[in-house]
């Protein structure tokens, strides 16, 4: 196993001779996307015209399908197939060899036992989408409903510690808190949220003999392939899963859903390609969501602001049969110094759709609590909120005592304060007006963990010099195609145009997919390793080839650059070498595994958010006026795509603070917001003057390239900065997100 | 029923189920899959196309109602290899991430720029009788019918600003 | 969608005849609401009469000094019209507050008036709703959806009318021109077009079967200021949680009732010398919030008073 010490040596990435690393090159697949020619899963051309599948959802939260009458639907025009729990083909049990990450909350399709509102109970395939939809409305179901636990707040008393978890304690929190001269004890509530990816889940499936090919919108290739193989009771080798373009994932497409299962089953049954897409309403009711979290924060400080006692206890919910914990307290274990500490989680099991990961699970909810509590404590102490954080800046990880791999939180705050004009903030709330608007400033810190998972990549060079990187990785809009092209081109010293990247195919060397902000580091490190292996193979090829100008040279002395392979001033173009010495091309693979000692370091990405908002005293409406973030996230691979990731995350924070929430109807177990008119993601007009910058950083404990993830850091803490700005604007401290007009108006004098 | 229209400059004729929306006709009958289905209910803007030069949501428009109309989709904007200036600006400014809302954003931008050039007001217009000046606030308000969950809004604004003089 | 047939008439008379000939017919104009609801099978017409190309798309001066907006003028067309912008700014603002650029390019004047509620339980067809199925009950009552009515609701329905445009038209004392299947024509006030729910919330307007709206007539603009302001959960592209139109001392409120709510009590109070806050208090004294939508009292009191103050209404003229 490797050690982080192996990662400190110079590499083609750190040397960056072509300057491709960090350069804001256009997206690799950008031209396809701006011309509308990138085929998403529902748009892939099947070998023959597909039939159209439509799903039918349960109107009850818990119970069983007692009876189903499919006669009218079967007789409807164009109908090929009608399935209910009573006639759906047998499906294999799932989970035997499943990566739990990719399998959360997944049941057999059309299970007769209903565990949440909106669970699919019927499926219709017809020759056209119009006929399929019309026929689906003709299926008649009878249900035997059972009592269900639906409301989180009503069931807090049954909250349990998640299985296998313990509270994390350092020192004696209770005693220290009781003795602290300045104390804060508040509960913050973050709401249930929906991913609302623009592309609904979709699959196109067809069979060739006993092999099935599925094009589907999923973040994790291998998990989806294995799930489907188990469901179909065939070996994984007979399932090819392809996911080239994904219209947004955000964690919500980490697993296989019923579109994948039923498209494959129906295509087998009918001997014809079948495609299935969720409706927008089904996206709300029948995929995962971010659960609501109740977070009790207790802070005990000395008069100078130093924390003696710190506790964050989070209670959240999941679907009864699909355990998942939103780890809303974990981030706080590494954030601020305090000798006496307590963090922990409790879980309530409900009969509602499954909770699961959504962009920055843990941090996105959790930081909404502590980062407001710090603002409140600063006011109690008469300190600037940044000064309070500076006084609690730890030298080593405050829980474990491990050294930080890198930590530039202080510089993020001080640099941001200066650039944003934080000194213009009036610490007294409600003092600044602009026309009718009450104006305020707020800030919050950001922290998000950094991870590296095992992955492989394959790279080949062909006789024409084309270098093709292949990986069972996904690009959900994060920029994966682009950064892998940059890494590969820089590693091999060739122009970007010479590199092709092919992703999203279970036939390719496996990578864990997109999630947890680990994608770029994980997939990128494997691609880098593959590129280094190709360098080695080409060096040996050249130095062993009597027709090469490098013949007889020491392979260790071979260099790559400008499309050439060289030793000193003897060089030849790569394509000439390959065409002559290996005309069939050269293919190698590379892999990355976490370093044995990587966890000897506390590894995180950091940032600071600054926001200015206006509050309308007539309506309680809050509008962003400007927002700025400073972030430190290791080496940045692409200035453009990384910036887009970070600002996108910040905007999620704006939505989290101001508009986004869903609620469960206590009588039916259904979500109140079931479409994009009812669930308010930010629109253009909500996002005013929002920008960010990255600090220079290389984290040589993170991976061989010194990079970290940027996909989730931007949302961490962003909503708290907005909430703090709302308080500064109008004096309303609202601890129940989002700060929508109803709540703000109620809090206004 | 038989319906004739012009799509991206080409005459097209389809025998349509009256239930078929313009969006489904484009995607499922005419192999023009660039226009996206995000919500199918006029709540996201991913299906935005230009009909007789005006931007509309193709998901809420029955195809049979478009007899004789001139329809422009994302596929009809580039001239061969040369991208439309708005497409080029989106690429240059990284005005998208997953790319699913992008065709709608681009078609909407082109329609929006024409509306502004024609002097239409928006909710961001302070003086309803003054000439239209396409400020950042105006662009944001006028583009609010196109949601982007990846939240490329700052980049989309930059792209529109740079393309505004050209489109 | 359920199967239906489709026809495109050349003129109003033909449209009326086509609709009369097939039971279950509906007029289709922009389709932005009707097609939406047909997809959910909330609307199930058997026959669509496409009126979008009828010669009703003109904005014309009236002899009285007002404007006649043809039924199929689009929302965009009306909001862009310089006569509307100069003389009826509250109407232009209201239209521009609604929906999106794309939707306004399709949505028509008449269709906007006839759009149906956005109540979450109306849209969720797994729930009882007296609008969708008379007698089924109302899931909104006792539910948690908060964008419901505080005025004029009934035990059968607490839904609101979602239009912005109609609220401004109400304050502007607009008239609605209607043509009937036998060639008869009539005009009613906009206030008389929409009904309160009572025991028949599925009957939303006073249009008789087979009738169609042909125009909305705006009287000459009233003296005094005009404004339309809307509160909502995000900055754009969201339905109102409360809105106010003021035109020369006439006041209408949106998102508070089954119809655009003409605030007669506030108007009377203003006429009696009340200040803006007192006028709104007078109006809201008859409001009946249900526990979930109580925030609308404070919202409408403040927003209404602010709009009255801005337009100079209630300052003792």
């Amino acid at each position: 196993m490797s050690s982080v010490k192996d990662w400190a040596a110079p590499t083609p990435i750190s040397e960056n001779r072509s300057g491709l690393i960090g350069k804001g090159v256009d997206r690799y697949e950008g031209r396809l996307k701006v011309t509308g020619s990138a085929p998403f899963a529902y748009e892939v051309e099947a070998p023959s015209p597909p039939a159209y599948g439509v799903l039918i959802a349960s109107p009850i939260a818990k119970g069983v399908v007692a009876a189903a009458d499919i006669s009218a639907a079967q007789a409807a025009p164009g109908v090929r197939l009608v399935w209910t729990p009573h006639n759906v083909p047998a499906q294999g049990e799932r989970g035997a060899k499943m990566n739990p990450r990719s399998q959360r909350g997944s049941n057999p399709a059309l299970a007769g036992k209903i565990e949440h509102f909106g669970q699919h109970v019927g499926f219709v395939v017809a020759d056209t989408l119009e006929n399929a939809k019309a026929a689906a409305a003709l299926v008649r179901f009878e249900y035997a409903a059972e009592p269900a636990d639906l409301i989180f707040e009503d069931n807090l008393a049954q909250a349990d510690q998640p299985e296998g978890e313990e509270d994390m304690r350092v020192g004696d929190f209770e005693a220290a808190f009781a003795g602290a001269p300045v104390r804060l004890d508040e509960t913050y509530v973050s709401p249930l949220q929906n991913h609302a990816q623009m592309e609904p889940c979709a699959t196109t499936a067809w069979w060739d003999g006993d092999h099935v090919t599925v094009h589907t919108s999923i973040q994790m290739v291998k998990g989806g392939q294995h799930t489907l193989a188990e469901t179909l009771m065939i070996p994984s080798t007979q399932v090819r899963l392809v996911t080239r373009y994904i219209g947004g994932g955000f964690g919500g497409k980490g697993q296989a859903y019923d579109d994948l299962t039923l498209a494959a089953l129906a295509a087998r049954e009918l001997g014809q390609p079948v495609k299935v897409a969720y409706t927008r309403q089904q996206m709300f009711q029948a995929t995962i969501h971010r659960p609501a979290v109740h977070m009790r924060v207790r802070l005990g400080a000395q008069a100078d602001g130093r924390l003696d006692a710190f506790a964050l206890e989070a209670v959240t919910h999941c679907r009864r049969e699909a355990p998942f914990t939103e780890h809303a307290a974990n981030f706080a274990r590494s954030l601020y110094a305090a000798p006496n500490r307590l963090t922990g989680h409790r879980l309530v099991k409900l009969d509602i759709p499954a909770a699961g990961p959504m962009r920055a699970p843990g941090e996105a909810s959790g930081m909404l609590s502590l980062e407001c509590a710090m603002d409140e404590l600063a006011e109690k102490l008469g300190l600037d909120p940044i000064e309070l954080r500076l006084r609690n800046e730890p030298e080593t990880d405050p829980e474990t005592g491990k050294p930080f791999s890198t930590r530039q939180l202080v510089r993020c705050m001080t640099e941001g304060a200066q650039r944003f004009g934080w000194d213009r903030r009036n610490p007294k709330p409600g003092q600044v007006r602009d026309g009718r608007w009450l104006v305020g400033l707020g800030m919050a810190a950001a922290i998000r963990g950094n991870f590296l998972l095992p992955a492989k990549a394959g790279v080949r060079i062909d006789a024409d010099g084309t270098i093709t990187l292949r990986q069972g990785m996904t690009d959900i809009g994060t920029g994966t195609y682009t950064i892998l092209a940059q890494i590969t081109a820089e590693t091999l010293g060739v122009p970007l145009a010479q590199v092709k990247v092919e992703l999203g195919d279970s036939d390719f060397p496996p990578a864990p997919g997109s999630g947890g902000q680990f994608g770029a580091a994980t997939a990128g490190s494997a691609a880098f390793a593959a590129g280094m292996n190709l360098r080695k193979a080409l060096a040996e090829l050249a130095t062993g080839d009597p027709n090469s100008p490098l013949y007889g040279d020491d392979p260790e002395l071979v260099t790559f650059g400008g499309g050439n392979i060289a030793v000193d001033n003897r060089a030849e173009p790569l394509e000439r070498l390959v065409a002559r010495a290996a005309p069939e091309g050269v293919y190698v693979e590379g892999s990355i595994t976490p370093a044995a000692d990587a966890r000897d370091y506390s590894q995180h990405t950091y940032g600071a958010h600054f926001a200015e908002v206006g509050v309308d005293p007539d309506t309680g409406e809050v509008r962003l006026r400007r927002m700025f973030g400073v972030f430190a996230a290791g080496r940045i691979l692409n200035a453009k795509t990384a910036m887009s990731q970070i600002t996108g995350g910040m905007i999620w924070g704006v939505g989290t603070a101001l508009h986004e929430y869903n609620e469960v109807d206590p009588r039916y177990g259904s979500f109140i917001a079931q479409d994009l008119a009812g669930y308010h993601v930010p629109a253009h007009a909500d996002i005013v003057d929002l920008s960010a910058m990255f600090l220079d950083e290389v984290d040589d404990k993170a991976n061989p390239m010194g990079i970290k993830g940027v996909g989730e850091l931007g949302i961490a803490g962003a909503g708290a900065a907005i909430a703090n700005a709302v308080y500064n604007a109008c004096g309303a401290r609202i601890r129940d997100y989002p700060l929508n007009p109803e709540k703000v108006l109620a809090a206004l004098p | 029923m038989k319906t004739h229209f012009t799509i991206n400059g080409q005459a097209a004729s389809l025998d349509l189920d009256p239930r078929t929306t313009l969006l489904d006709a484009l995607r499922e009958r005419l192999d023009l899959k660039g226009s996206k289905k995000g919500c199918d209910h006029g709540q996201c803007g991913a299906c935005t196309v230009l009909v007789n030069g005006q931007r509309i949501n193709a998901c809420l428009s029955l195809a049979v109602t478009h007899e004789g109309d001139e329809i422009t989709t994302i596929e009809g904007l580039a001239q061969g290899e040369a991208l439309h200036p708005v497409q080029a600006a989106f690429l240059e400014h990284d005005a998208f991430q997953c790319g699913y809302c992008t065709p709608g954003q681009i078609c909407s931008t082109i329609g929006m720029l024409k509306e502004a050039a024609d002097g239409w007001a928006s909710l961001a217009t302070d003086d309803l009788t003054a000439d239209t000046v396409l400020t950042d606030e105006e662009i944001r308000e006028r583009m609010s019918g196109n949601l982007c969950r990846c939240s490329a809004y700052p980049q989309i604004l930059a792209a529109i600003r740079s393309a505004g003089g050209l489109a | 969608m359920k199967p239906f047939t489709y026809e495109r008439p050349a003129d109003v008379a033909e449209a009326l005849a086509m609709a009369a000939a097939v039971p279950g017919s509906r007029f289709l104009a922009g389709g932005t609401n009707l097609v939406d609801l047909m997809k959910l099978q909330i609307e199930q017409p058997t026959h669509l009469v496409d009126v979008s190309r009828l010669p009703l798309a003109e904005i014309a001066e009236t002899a009285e000094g007002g404007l006649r907006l043809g039924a199929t003028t689009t929302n965009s067309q009306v909001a862009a019209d310089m006569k509307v912008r100069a003389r009826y700014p509250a109407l232009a603002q209201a239209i521009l507050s609604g929906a999106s650029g794309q939707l306004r390019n399709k949505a028509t004047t008449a269709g906007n008036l006839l759009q149906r509620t956005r109540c979450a339980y109306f849209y969720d067809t797994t729930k009882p709703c007296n609008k969708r199925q008379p007698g089924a009950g109302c899931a909104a009552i006792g539910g948690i959806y908060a964008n419901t009515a505080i005025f004029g609701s009934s035990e059968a329905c607490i839904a609101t009318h979602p239009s912005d445009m109609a609220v401004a038209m109400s304050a502007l004392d607009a008239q609605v021109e209607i043509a009937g299947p036998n060639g008869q024509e009539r005009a009613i006030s906009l206030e008389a077009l929409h009904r309160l729910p009572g025991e028949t919330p599925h009957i939303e307007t006073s249009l008789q079967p087979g009738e169609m709206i042909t125009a909305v007539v705006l009287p000459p603009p009233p003296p005094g200021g005009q404004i339309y302001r809307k509160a909502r959960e995000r900055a754009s592209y969201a339905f109102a949680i409360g809105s106010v139109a003021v035109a020369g001392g006439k006041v209408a409120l949106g998102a508070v009732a089954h119809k655009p709510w003409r605030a007669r009590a506030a108007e009377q109070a203003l006429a009696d010398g009340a200040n803006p806050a007192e006028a709104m208090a007078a109006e809201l004294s008859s409001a009946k919030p249900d526990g979930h939508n109580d925030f609308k009292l404070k919202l409408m009191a403040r927003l209404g008073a602010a709009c009255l103050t801005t337009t100079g209404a209630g300052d003792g003229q």
Side-chain angles (χ1 to χ4, degrees):
Chain A
M1 209 168 192
S2 58
S3 159
V4 296
K5 295 186 187 70
D6 305 337
W7 298 342
T11 67
I13 301 301
S14 65
E15 290 170 355
N16 198 19
R17 290 190 182 163
S18 315
L20 285 173
I21 299 302
K23 190 175 178 186
V25 302
D26 292 346
R27 269 175 209 266
Y28 176 85
E29 79 291 11
R31 199 182 169 89
L32 294 178
K33 286 180 174 173
V34 300
T35 55
S37 43
F40 291 83
Y42 201 73
E43 300 158 1
V44 169
E45 193 170 339
S48 60
Y52 293 80
V54 167
L55 294 151
I56 307 170
S58 162
I60 68 165
K62 192 171 183 182
V64 294
V65 176
D69 178 357
I70 61 174
S71 54
Q74 277 181 317
V79 169
R80 302 277 167 78
L81 168 164
V82 182
W83 283 341
T84 71
H86 303 132
N87 66 342
V88 69
Q91 298 164 61
E93 187 148 349
R94 300 177 186 179
K97 47 187 173 176
M98 200 43 34
N99 170 6
R101 190 187 300 281
S102 63
Q103 223 359 64
R104 197 167 279 121
S106 168
N107 281 344
L110 311 187
K113 184 182 170 209
I114 295 163
E115 297 173 354
H116 65 86
F117 178 95
Q119 181 179 319
H120 297 129
V121 292
F123 180 63
V124 176
V125 181
D127 57 345
T128 68
L129 186 57
E130 293 79 12
N131 280 336
K133 289 198 163 195
L138 298 174
V139 183
R140 294 282 166 265
F141 292 96
E142 284 174 38
Y143 300 92
E146 296 163 16
D149 291 330
L150 301 173
I151 301 302
F152 178 40
E153 286 75 11
D154 294 350
N155 290 279
L156 289 172
Q158 53 126 315
D160 276 332
Q161 190 134 31
E163 201 175 326
E165 291 190 15
E166 286 180 18
D167 293 344
M168 298 297 281
R169 287 178 172 274
V170 177
D172 184 343
F173 167 77
E174 281 79 6
F177 183 69
V182 182
R183 286 188 291 182
L184 175 139
D185 182 354
E186 297 289 355
T187 295
Y188 303 80
V189 180
S190 67
L192 189 154
Q193 295 183 327
N194 299 95
H195 298 75
Q197 310 93 332
M198 298 307 298
E199 181 209 21
C201 293
T203 302
T204 302
W206 63 83
W207 290 76
D208 182 2
D210 57 2
H211 283 64
V212 66
T213 298
V214 289
H215 287 255
T216 190
S217 186
I218 193 167
Q219 294 172 233
M220 317 288 188
V221 175
K222 276 287 161 195
Q225 181 199 25
H226 286 312
T227 303
L228 186 59
E230 287 184 331
T231 302
L232 298 172
M233 296 179 279
I234 59 177
S236 286
T237 50
Q238 289 171 221
V239 174
R240 181 174 174 218
L241 184 144
V242 188
T243 180
R244 299 264 192 255
Y245 304 102
I246 299 165
F250 314 115
K253 292 179 182 168
Q255 66 185 57
Y257 292 110
D258 292 346
D259 58 307
L260 178 61
T261 305
L262 291 169
L265 283 172
R268 182 168 70 185
E269 179 92 3
L270 296 173
Q272 178 187 9
V274 171
K275 57 183 189 175
V276 183
Y278 276 32
T279 64
R280 178 53 57 186
Q281 290 77 7
Q282 288 164 348
M283 289 302 291
F284 279 85
Q285 305 284 4
T287 70
I288 59 170
H289 57 262
R290 192 201 299 284
V293 192
H294 283 223
M295 295 166 279
R296 183 183 184 194
V297 179
R298 283 178 287 173
L299 302 175
Q302 293 293 330
D304 66 1
R306 280 181 302 116
L307 290 170
D308 277 337
F310 156 75
L312 171 51
E313 295 162 284
V315 188
T316 181
H317 60 83
C318 68
R319 201 180 91 203
R320 190 176 308 281
E321 290 83 1
F324 168 83
T325 305
E326 181 80 20
H327 285 115
N330 278 2
F331 78 94
R333 293 171 175 169
S334 300
L335 192 50
Y336 299 122
N340 301 287
R341 315 173 65 84
L342 165 63
T343 47
H345 301 93
R346 297 292 183 273
L347 195 52
V348 174
K349 293 182 176 174
L350 299 173
D351 302 304
I352 66 170
M358 175 164 152
R359 199 172 195 171
E363 283 82 353
S365 306
M367 296 200 83
L368 297 171
S369 67
L370 179 58
E371 287 306 291
C372 278
M374 289 295 278
D375 202 66
E376 296 195 56
L377 181 65
E379 188 179 40
K380 281 183 187 232
L381 291 160
L383 285 176
D384 182 272
I386 294 176
E387 181 59 30
L388 175 63
R389 288 169 172 87
L390 295 178
R391 291 186 188 185
N392 289 288
E393 174 68 10
E395 292 193 359
T396 58
D397 187 281
E399 185 175 283
T400 62
K402 290 178 182 175
F404 294 113
S405 61
T406 62
R407 179 171 167 116
Q408 297 201 69
L409 174 58
V410 169
R411 226 189 115 205
C412 288
M413 291 191 290
T414 52
E415 182 88 27
Q418 192 248 322
R419 288 174 185 255
F420 184 76
W422 180 247
D423 57 351
R424 290 193 299 245
R425 172 179 177 265
N426 186 331
K428 193 172 172 203
Q431 301 302 302
V432 181
R433 270 194 182 258
D434 178 7
R436 74 170 188 258
W437 296 92
L438 295 159
V439 178
L441 308 186
M443 64 80 58
I447 181 173
R448 169 71 179 144
N450 187 62
F451 307 96
L452 182 68
L453 303 178
K456 291 182 178 172
V459 63
R460 67 175 293 119
I461 181 166
D462 285 306
D464 66 353
T466 302
I467 293 170
T468 305
L469 181 87
R470 286 183 158 179
Q471 198 174 31
M473 178 59 188
T474 52
D475 187 333
I476 59 175
T478 38
T480 318
Y481 278 107
T482 315
I483 58 144
L484 292 179
Q486 289 173 277
I487 290 167
T488 303
E490 188 62 58
T491 303
L492 290 157
V494 300
L496 207 50
Q498 206 170 325
V499 175
K500 282 171 43 178
V501 180
E502 296 178 359
L503 300 179
D505 194 321
S506 59
D507 284 352
F508 296 166
S514 304
Q517 198 174 271
F518 55 66
T522 298
S525 294
F528 169 67
M532 292 304 285
N533 288 343
L534 185 58
R535 282 171 64 115
K536 202 175 296 172
L538 292 172
E540 283 165 9
L541 187 66
T543 56
D545 174 12
N547 294 318
S548 166
L550 278 55
Y551 180 63
D553 277 320
D554 179 355
E556 294 290 316
L557 298 178
V558 169
T559 61
F560 291 77
N564 293 324
I565 182 165
V567 173
D568 299 330
N569 59 355
R570 283 167 288 114
E572 71 171 326
L574 290 176
E575 60 265 33
R576 194 186 300 163
L577 167 67
V578 175
R580 182 185 64 243
E584 71 290 357
V586 180
Y587 174 79
V588 298
E589 294 191 353
S591 63
I592 184 72
T593 51
D597 49 359
R599 290 294 136 193
D600 293 348
Y601 298 86
S602 180
Q603 280 192 26
H604 303 275
T605 55
Y606 294 93
H609 299 275
F610 296 84
E612 176 180 324
V613 304
V615 176
D616 186 336
D618 300 332
T619 62
E621 292 171 292
V622 179
R623 297 283 181 262
L624 186 68
R625 293 163 64 95
R626 77 198 163 96
M627 188 162 183
F628 181 63
V630 182
F631 301 92
R635 188 194 305 279
I636 298 304
L637 291 170
N638 182 314
K640 255 201 281 210
T641 58
M643 184 59 70
S644 292
Q645 282 282 286
I646 275 287
T647 55
M650 292 167 70
I651 292 167
W652 275 55
V654 176
T656 290
L658 301 181
H659 334 121
E660 286 188 39
Y661 67 105
N662 215 332
E663 294 177 286
V664 177
D665 189 291
R667 303 159 299 173
Y668 307 103
S670 51
F671 291 134
I672 294 298
Q674 303 189 9
D675 59 27
L676 293 173
Y679 186 85
H680 294 118
V681 306
H684 272 276
D686 291 297
I687 304 308
V688 180
D689 194 5
L690 183 145
S691 61
M693 65 174 282
F694 290 105
L695 298 180
D696 284 339
E697 184 172 291
V698 175
D699 189 338
D700 62 9
K701 310 294 189 301
N703 50 63
M705 294 187 295
I707 68 168
K708 291 178 177 175
V710 292
E712 300 187 332
L713 176 61
I715 184 174
I722 303 275
N724 292 337
V726 169
Y727 175 74
N728 184 244
C730 68
R733 179 64 73 181
I734 299 162
R735 301 183 185 88
D736 180 10
Y737 291 87
L739 282 59
N740 64 4
E742 178 177 348
K743 291 177 205 163
V744 175
L745 197 59
L748 285 173
Chain B
M1 59 185 286
K2 204 79 173 164
T3 305
H4 312 81
F5 24 60
T6 304
I7 299 186
N8 298 330
Q10 304 275 316
S13 166
L14 285 179
D15 193 14
L16 287 165
D17 184 328
R19 295 173 296 182
T20 303
T21 62
L22 177 58
L23 179 61
D24 285 331
L26 292 169
R27 285 170 60 85
E28 307 303 334
R29 300 290 304 278
L30 293 162
D31 201 30
L32 293 169
K33 294 164 176 171
S35 306
K36 301 304 182 200
K37 186 181 285 188
C39 71
D40 212 21
H41 288 273
Q43 301 165 353
C44 77
C47 65
T48 303
V49 299
L50 299 164
V51 173
N52 304 326
Q54 286 200 348
R55 52 179 175 160
I56 68 161
N57 298 117
C59 74
L60 287 185
S61 198
L62 297 175
V64 290
T65 66
H66 288 285
E67 175 68 35
D69 282 345
E70 287 198 22
I71 296 156
T72 304
T73 69
I74 190 71
E75 291 91 346
L77 298 179
Q79 304 279 331
E81 285 298 297
L83 295 176
H84 185 283
V86 174
Q87 291 174 312
F90 269 62
L91 187 55
E92 159 74 21
H93 291 274
D94 206 37
F96 57 92
Q97 293 174 38
C98 79
Y100 200 76
C101 74
T102 310
Q105 299 274 2
I106 289 171
C107 288
S108 187
T109 298
I110 293 167
M112 182 276 289
L113 291 172
K114 179 172 185 301
E115 291 166 9
D118 289 347
W120 291 16
S122 87
L123 192 62
T125 310
D126 285 331
D127 181 351
L128 285 173
T129 57
D131 289 343
T132 300
V133 180
L134 213 46
T135 61
D136 289 356
E137 189 187 1
E138 286 275 6
I139 293 172
R140 286 191 293 259
E141 165 58 27
R142 290 165 188 259
M143 289 299 294
S144 283
N146 292 85
L147 302 179
C148 172
R149 185 53 157 166
C150 298
S151 300
Y153 297 126
Q155 292 80 5
I156 293 170
L157 176 69
I160 294 174
R161 265 199 312 234
S162 83
L166 306 168
Chain C
M1 284 184 242
K2 287 204 168 178
F4 57 85
T5 49
Y6 171 88
E7 283 183 295
R8 193 182 305 116
D11 56 35
V12 171
E14 193 184 358
L16 293 164
M18 284 176 173
V22 184
S25 288
R26 292 293 304 269
F27 297 117
L28 173 72
T32 53
N33 191 229
L34 183 57
V35 174
D36 173 28
L37 295 171
M38 285 165 62
K39 289 184 178 193
L40 298 167
Q41 295 206 4
I42 294 169
E43 295 276 7
Q44 302 182 357
T46 57
H47 185 61
L48 285 184
V49 178
D50 181 353
V51 298
S52 65
R53 300 190 189 203
L54 295 183
L56 297 174
E58 290 214 346
I59 300 173
E61 300 274 1
T62 66
E64 294 74 29
L67 288 179
R68 172 177 282 102
L69 313 176
T72 60
T73 50
T74 64
N75 287 178
S76 289
Q77 180 190 352
V78 174
D81 186 273
M82 269 300 171
K83 300 184 288 292
V84 173
R85 285 154 70 175
R87 285 148 62 184
Y88 305 98
L91 177 59
Q93 287 168 342
I95 292 173
L96 294 169
S97 298
S100 67
Q102 291 94 313
L103 290 163
R104 295 193 295 267
N105 283 345
K106 281 291 280 181
T108 62
T109 296
N112 186 314
L113 291 177
L114 298 176
Q115 69 181 301
R116 305 194 67 189
T117 184
R118 304 300 303 202
C119 176
Y121 299 103
F122 174 70
Y123 266 80
D124 179 348
T125 56
T126 68
K127 308 295 188 291
C129 172
N130 289 320
K131 279 185 177 296
R132 278 189 275 105
Q133 196 186 343
C138 171
I141 294 172
I144 56 172
Y145 176 72
N147 199 359
T148 48
I150 56 172
F151 290 111
S153 58
S154 71
E155 290 183 5
C157 181
I158 59 172
T160 62
H161 195 267
S163 173
D164 295 297
M165 181 195 82
V167 180
M169 286 180 172
S170 175
L172 288 164
D173 278 327
Q175 296 276 306
V176 180
E177 294 185 347
I178 297 162
N182 300 316
Q184 72 275 36
E185 293 178 2
R186 65 190 181 110
I188 59 173
S189 71
L190 185 110
E191 211 180 344
L193 175 67
H194 298 99
R195 295 161 45 99
L196 289 176
E199 291 175 7
T200 55
H202 59 292
I203 304 171
E204 294 169 352
T205 70
S206 55
L207 290 181
Q208 297 300 308
E211 283 189 326
M212 69 183 283
I213 294 173
T214 53
V216 171
V217 178
L218 303 172
Q226 293 183 27
I227 195 170
Y228 182 78
R229 273 185 68 188
K230 170 180 183 178
R232 46 183 153 177
E233 290 209 337
R234 70 179 168 202
S236 188
Y237 200 19
F239 289 96
I241 54 173
S243 70
V244 177
V246 178
K250 308 284 179 58
V251 188
L253 312 179
V256 293
H258 198 255
K259 58 187 290 188
W261 188 256
R262 185 66 181 263
R264 297 279 181 193
E267 291 173 12
Q268 184 62 50
L270 290 171
D272 294 344
N275 69 28
E278 291 163 352
M280 289 311 298
E283 188 65 40
L284 291 162
S285 66
S286 66
K288 290 192 176 62
D290 68 356
H292 287 291
N293 61 18
D294 296 15
F295 73 95
K296 290 192 177 185
L297 295 178
K298 193 170 181 179
L299 173 64
M300 299 315 292
R302 291 193 173 203
L303 186 59
C307 288
L308 289 168
T309 302
T310 304
T311 56
D315 56 5
Q317 80 270 40

